[in-house]
């Protein structure tokens, strides 16, 4: 594999040419972890204000009660947005690790740290349990229900279990991945210090025995695979029970998969923006072209898939043309949310397609970052478009399998704006707080890379040689 | 009463550590008496150590068998309990039954694999054993945990391999 820059130094080193020994990696990455930026506290404070606004918004919303679903559309939309972005970002660590892609080493920890944001999704989900009507309202659902005999809250139960499962798996993934780094920080902390106690507790007697490493590798693989399965389950259940069943006649077997594919696309976009911030503002210059290029290609492919999924669903309704199918199109595409649909279509599909086809943009740092911003805004509009529209449908009766009247556009009020601000700032706040405990770069994976990566001369070129131990 | 004692020798490079491990093995110590401690996941066998034994492969096999049997019992049992002829097909029609049996097989193997990983992971590790904080700084530790009678022999062997440091570690006294 030829390096991008022929002037790279020769020899064994990890993702930074100065990281030539385990000691140098430890020194530099631990120092970076312990360093405190002067901007850290002001940013934390600003995010804290956002979270307080979110809590106020949620209280205002709760004061209005939970019986009118149309008031909760924006809350559901921003919750879906979190599940689509922050909760999907750990896939950037999981998938390339399973595929043994070495380029992910420098970004695997930042990706795993997003799993902590699942906690915010879980908190935001609690009021939604009261907002979603029970199956007693007669709407069509995946679940069995019979008055007096079969439980009417199956959607609430299964979604809660799957979301709790996702959060637990996310934390387990982060903890297992960080165990060797916790041990390093434990060993470096002063005896009797607060840090020593914290990391002794977190490292759980990790010694670095061969058995520890083997089982850490196995656990990472299995927990990662389960996280992926649970992420898909969460998207499947949330899109079916907390979205589709609220709209009579919205019967689309493909949509839950579409919802999950959006998550993979938005997860990649979230990570590209995270990488940019870490590189530009936090001094992690090691996150470079390889990572932006690798994820950019993935996001490009997922943007093309976005169109495939959308078109496959759209065609069924477009050619079906039954009155209730036309109503679904009217609600989500042609009617009150048409501007949002256009924005969504352009930002999530057209912009990535016509920009990422150019090599110079795809292989740059700024290109994928700007396109990721476009994708995230587009996905945000998409979630507002479908969730706010679906929650504004008031007639859930199964007697008429269609929407009697298309509800008008629901605009956000002050409470909605506060909730959206809070829901977006809270995961970032959690992420920043976690970064004070967990090193943001996977130290042990860099030391492992040192064993396998060699830069050497090949005739007149400099090439990178990667060892594959398995 | 059985007492266990442990000793740790620290090395700076892989070859010295591998040579020390060879010496420990040649001294008659079994694979469950010594361990290699590293701050980096070296490829398996880098120190000439034995491949760790595990029985993880048994779990998905047993799980798959259980899941298959459950699938068979559910499909055959319900159809025999409520014998409704559908589309002129036999009561026990294999093609539709195979779908549930397949799902049961998969589900059983996944659940048993997860259980197997938890069991085989030896969670949680209660004692740290012999340890030195220099392991996370790049040193390689060879530990020998053995009976009180054999610990001096282990110490002697390790001393001959010229480690950077050699020290006694954790001591366990338990009742058997």
């Amino acid at each position: 594999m030829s390096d991008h820059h022929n002037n790279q130094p020769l020899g064994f080193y990890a993702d930074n040419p100065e990281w030539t020994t385990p000691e140098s990696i430890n020194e530099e990455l631990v120092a970076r972890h312990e360093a405190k930026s002067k901007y850290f506290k002001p940013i934390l404070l600003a995010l804290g204000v956002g979270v307080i606004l979110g809590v106020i918004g949620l209280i205002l919303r709760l004061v209005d009660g939970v019986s009118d679903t149309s008031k909760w559309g924006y809350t559901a939309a921003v919750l879906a947005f979190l599940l689509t972005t922050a909760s999907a970002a750990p896939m950037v660590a999981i998938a390339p690790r399973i595929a043994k892609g070495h380029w992910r080493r420098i970004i695997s920890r930042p990706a795993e740290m997003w799993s902590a944001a699942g906690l915010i999704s879980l908190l935001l989900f609690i009021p939604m349990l009261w907002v979603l009507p029970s199956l007693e309202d007669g709407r069509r659902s995946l679940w069995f229900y019979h008055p007096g005999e079969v439980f009417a809250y199956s959607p609430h139960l299964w979604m809660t279990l799957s979301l709790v499962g996702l959060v637990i798996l996310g934390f387990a993934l982060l903890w297992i991945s960080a165990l060797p780094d916790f041990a390093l920080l434990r060993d470096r902390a002063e005896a009797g210090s607060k840090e020593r106690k914290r990391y002794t507790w977190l490292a759980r007697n990790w010694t670095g025995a061969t058995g520890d490493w083997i089982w850490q590798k196995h656990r990472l693989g299995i927990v990662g695979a389960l996280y992926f399965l649970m992420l898909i389950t969460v998207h499947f259940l949330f899109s079916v029970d907390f979205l589709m069943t609220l709209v009579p006649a919205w019967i689309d077997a493909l949509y839950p998969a579409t919802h999950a594919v959006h998550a993979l696309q938005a997860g990649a976009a979230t990570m590209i923006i995270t990488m940019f911030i870490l590189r530009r503002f936090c001094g992690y210059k090691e996150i470079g072209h390889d990572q932006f290029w690798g994820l950019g290609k993935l996001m490009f492919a997922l943007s093309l898939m976005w169109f495939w999924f959308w078109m496959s669903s759209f065609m069924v309704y477009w050619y079906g043309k039954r009155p209730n199918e036309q109503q679904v199109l009217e609600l989500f595409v042609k009617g009150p949310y048409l501007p949002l649909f256009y924005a969504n279509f352009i930002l999530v599909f057209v912009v990535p397609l016509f920009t990422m086809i150019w090599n110079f943009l795809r292989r740059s740092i700024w290109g994928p970052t700007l396109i990721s911003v476009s994708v995230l805004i587009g996905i945000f509009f998409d979630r507002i478009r479908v969730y706010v529209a679906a929650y504004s449908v008031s007639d859930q009766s199964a007697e008429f399998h269609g929407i009697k009247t298309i509800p008008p556009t629901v605009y956000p009020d002050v409470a909605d704006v506060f909730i959206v601000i809070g829901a977006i700032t809270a995961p970032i706040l959690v992420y920043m707080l976690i970064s004070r405990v967990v090193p943001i770069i996977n130290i042990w994976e860099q030391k492992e890379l040192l064993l396998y990566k060699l830069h050497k001369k090949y005739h007149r070129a400099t090439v990178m040689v990667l060892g594959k131990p398995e | 009463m059985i007492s266990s004692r442990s000793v740790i020798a620290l090395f700076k490079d892989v070859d010295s550590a591998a040579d020390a491990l060879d010496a420990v093995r040649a001294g008659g110590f079994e694979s469950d008496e010594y361990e290699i401690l590293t701050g980096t996941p070296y490829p398996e066998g880098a120190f000439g150590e034995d491949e760790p034994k595990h029985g993880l492969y048994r779990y998905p096999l047993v799980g798959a068998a259980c899941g298959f049997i459950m699938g068979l019992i559910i499909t055959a049992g319900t159809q025999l309990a409520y014998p409704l002829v559908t589309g002129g097909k036999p009561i026990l029609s294999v093609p539709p039954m195979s779908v549930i049996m397949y799902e049961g097989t998969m589900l059983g193997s996944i659940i048993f694999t997860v259980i197997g990983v938890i069991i085989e992971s030896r969670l949680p590790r209660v004692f740290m054993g012999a340890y030195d904080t220099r392991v996370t700084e790049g040193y390689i530790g060879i530990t020998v945990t053995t009976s009180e009678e054999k610990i001096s022999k282990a110490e002697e062997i390790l001393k001959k391999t010229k480690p950077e440091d050699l020290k006694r570690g954790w001591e366990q006294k338990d009742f058997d």
Side-chain angles (χ1 to χ4, degrees), chain A residues 210-230:
Chain A
T210 311
D212 287 348
W213 287 114
I214 290 171
W215 288 113
Q216 191 224 20
K217 188 174 87 176
H218 287 180
R219 284 179 220 162
L220 275 178
I222 287 170
V223 172
L226 288 174
Y227 186 90
F228 175 55
L229 293 176
M230 202 53 91

Side-chain angles (χ1 to χ4, degrees), chain A residues 178-239:
Chain A
L179 263 173
D181 294 344
F182 288 149
L184 171 68
L185 294 167
R186 171 197 66 196
D187 293 350
R188 285 191 157 217
E190 276 179 43
S193 66
K194 200 170 63 182
E195 283 75 23
R196 181 67 164 254
K197 281 180 194 155
R198 180 203 298 158
Y199 289 115
T200 301
W201 186 79
L202 284 169
R204 312 308 296 172
N205 290 338
W206 173 275
T207 60
T210 311
D212 287 348
W213 287 114
I214 290 171
W215 288 113
Q216 191 224 20
K217 188 174 87 176
H218 287 180
R219 284 179 220 162
L220 275 178
I222 287 170
V223 172
L226 288 174
Y227 186 90
F228 175 55
L229 293 176
M230 202 53 91
L231 180 73
I232 302 299
T233 308
V234 162
H235 278 274
F236 176 85
L237 292 176
F238 198 72
S239 62

Side-chain angles (χ1 to χ4, degrees), chain A residues 201-379:
Chain A
W201 186 79
L202 284 169
R204 312 308 296 172
N205 290 338
W206 173 275
T207 60
T210 311
D212 287 348
W213 287 114
I214 290 171
W215 288 113
Q216 191 224 20
K217 188 174 87 176
H218 287 180
R219 284 179 220 162
L220 275 178
I222 287 170
V223 172
L226 288 174
Y227 186 90
F228 175 55
L229 293 176
M230 202 53 91
L231 180 73
I232 302 299
T233 308
V234 162
H235 278 274
F236 176 85
L237 292 176
F238 198 72
S239 62
V240 170
D241 288 330
F242 286 76
L243 177 65
M244 293 178 73
T245 58
L246 298 176
V247 182
W250 190 9
I251 300 163
D252 181 357
L254 197 60
Y255 190 76
T258 307
H259 206 277
V261 168
H262 289 172
L264 299 180
Q265 184 190 14
T270 306
M271 264 319 292
I272 289 174
I273 294 169
T274 308
M275 280 155 43
F276 180 81
I277 292 168
L278 289 174
R279 181 187 159 85
R280 182 81 177 79
F281 302 109
C282 305
Y284 290 98
K285 298 286 180 204
E286 297 79 17
I287 300 173
H289 287 86
D290 277 351
Q291 288 73 33
F292 281 91
W293 189 31
L295 269 186
K297 282 188 286 188
L298 190 67
M299 202 177 63
F300 182 37
L302 289 164
S303 300
L304 295 178
M305 273 180 82
W306 183 94
F307 181 78
W308 186 90
F309 273 90
W310 173 78
M311 193 64 188
S312 300
S313 288
F314 182 77
M315 275 201 304
V316 174
Y317 285 82
W318 181 259
Y319 285 108
K321 270 222 167 12
R322 285 185 306 178
N324 55 6
E325 287 171 332
Q326 289 187 49
Q327 286 164 342
V328 172
L329 282 189
E330 184 70 21
L331 178 67
F332 291 119
V333 182
K334 297 191 288 179
Y337 296 94
L338 183 66
L340 277 185
F341 171 73
Y342 279 140
N344 172 218
F345 191 85
I346 291 166
L347 293 169
V348 173
F349 171 63
V350 178
V351 170
L353 175 67
F354 288 101
T355 50
M356 297 290 263
I357 50 173
W358 302 103
N359 274 343
F360 75 93
L361 259 177
R362 207 169 54 237
R363 296 179 75 159
S364 69
I365 305 284
W366 278 97
T369 307
L370 290 174
I371 295 155
S372 297
V373 172
S374 162
V375 166
L376 284 194
I377 295 171
I379 290 280

Side-chain angles (χ1 to χ4, degrees), chain A residues 26-256:
Chain A
N26 283 350
E27 284 302 328
E28 177 140 6
L29 289 178
V30 171
R32 285 195 206 178
H33 171 65
E34 287 170 351
K36 281 179 187 162
S37 162
K38 61 178 177 179
Y39 299 112
F40 189 79
K41 272 190 182 166
I43 293 171
L44 220 57
L45 206 67
L47 291 169
V49 171
V51 174
I52 292 167
L53 287 179
V55 173
I56 294 169
L58 212 53
I59 293 168
L60 289 174
R61 191 78 303 150
L62 284 166
V63 167
D64 288 340
V66 291
S67 53
D68 183 0
T69 55
S70 67
K71 288 189 182 296
W72 288 88
Y74 282 91
T75 311
V78 79
L79 172 56
F81 181 69
L82 289 190
L83 294 174
T84 310
T85 51
S87 292
M91 284 310 301
V92 171
I94 295 165
R97 184 178 278 139
I98 291 171
K100 302 193 194 310
H102 288 272
W103 60 269
R104 55 85 198 156
R105 284 176 187 271
I106 197 83
I107 56 164
S108 56
R109 180 66 53 72
E112 285 157 356
M113 280 167 61
W114 276 117
S115 62
L119 207 60
I120 304 300
S121 305
L122 193 60
L123 292 174
L124 205 56
F125 175 69
I126 293 169
M128 297 310 295
L129 284 170
W130 278 267
V131 175
L132 185 77
S134 77
L135 295 177
E136 287 159 338
D137 70 353
R139 72 183 187 278
R140 288 187 162 189
S141 151
L142 276 183
W143 309 102
F144 285 117
Y145 167 65
H146 194 269
E149 288 180 30
V150 184
F151 186 58
Y153 292 91
S154 295
H156 305 70
L157 173 72
W158 294 112
M159 182 59 209
T160 306
L161 287 179
S162 59
L163 191 53
V164 169
L166 186 76
V167 175
I168 291 171
L169 283 168
F171 274 101
L173 182 74
L174 180 60
W175 176 66
I176 293 166
S177 159
L179 263 173
D181 294 344
F182 288 149
L184 171 68
L185 294 167
R186 171 197 66 196
D187 293 350
R188 285 191 157 217
E190 276 179 43
S193 66
K194 200 170 63 182
E195 283 75 23
R196 181 67 164 254
K197 281 180 194 155
R198 180 203 298 158
Y199 289 115
T200 301
W201 186 79
L202 284 169
R204 312 308 296 172
N205 290 338
W206 173 275
T207 60
T210 311
D212 287 348
W213 287 114
I214 290 171
W215 288 113
Q216 191 224 20
K217 188 174 87 176
H218 287 180
R219 284 179 220 162
L220 275 178
I222 287 170
V223 172
L226 288 174
Y227 186 90
F228 175 55
L229 293 176
M230 202 53 91
L231 180 73
I232 302 299
T233 308
V234 162
H235 278 274
F236 176 85
L237 292 176
F238 198 72
S239 62
V240 170
D241 288 330
F242 286 76
L243 177 65
M244 293 178 73
T245 58
L246 298 176
V247 182
W250 190 9
I251 300 163
D252 181 357
L254 197 60
Y255 190 76

Side-chain angles (χ1 to χ4, degrees), chain A residues 23 26 184 186-188 205-215 219 222 226 444 447-448 451-452 469, chain B residues 35-43 49 52 54 114 117 120-123 125-126 128 131 133 135-137:
Chain A
E23 293 87 345
N26 283 350
L184 171 68
R186 171 197 66 196
D187 293 350
R188 285 191 157 217
N205 290 338
W206 173 275
T207 60
T210 311
D212 287 348
W213 287 114
I214 290 171
W215 288 113
R219 284 179 220 162
I222 287 170
L226 288 174
W444 69 267
K447 289 190 279 187
E448 189 188 29
L451 303 175
Y452 302 128
Chain B
E35 263 190 321
I36 306 132
L37 312 185
T38 58
T40 310
Y42 282 86
E49 75 275 26
H54 67 82
V114 172
V117 167
E120 295 272 333
S121 291
R122 300 171 295 148
L123 283 172
R125 181 195 275 266
V126 184
M128 271 184 89
Y131 184 68
T133 54
V135 168
T136 47
E137 296 297 338

